[in-house]
């Protein structure tokens, strides 16, 4: 069943809430707890980098699927995985 209208809004809100919970957990879990200096200098940049890389990978996958008009397109279709291995 496709997501439309109100169901799509609820789904997007639930994904956003889950993402924020995961970000908060990744900042707080560790052996030092909530040491503010540690969070600011080590954990926050790592969390931001991980979120940014994940978002960019998702966006590149979406662009490839839209470009090829194939919902099953992956990096092996165009040979980018082989080129990266070289």
């Amino acid at each position: 069943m496709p997501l439309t209208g109100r169901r799509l809004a609820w789904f997007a809100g639930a994904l956003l809430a889950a993402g924020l919970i995961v970000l908060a957990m990744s900042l707080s879990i560790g052996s030092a707890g909530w040491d503010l200096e540690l969070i600011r200098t080590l954990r926050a940049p790592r969390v931001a980098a991980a979120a940014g890389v994940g978002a960019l990978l998702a966006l590149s996958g979406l662009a490839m699927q839209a470009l090829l008009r194939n919902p099953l397109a992956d990096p092996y279709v165009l040979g980018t995985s082989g080129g990266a291995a070289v």
Side-chain angles (χ1 to χ4, degrees), residues 14-30 33-34 39-40 42-55:
L15 282 178
L16 180 64
L20 291 176
I21 289 170
V22 167
L23 285 175
M25 285 177 57
S26 65
L27 286 174
S28 65
I29 293 176
W34 278 96
I39 289 174
R40 195 176 51 129
L42 282 177
R43 292 183 189 165
R46 289 179 183 176
V47 168
V53 167

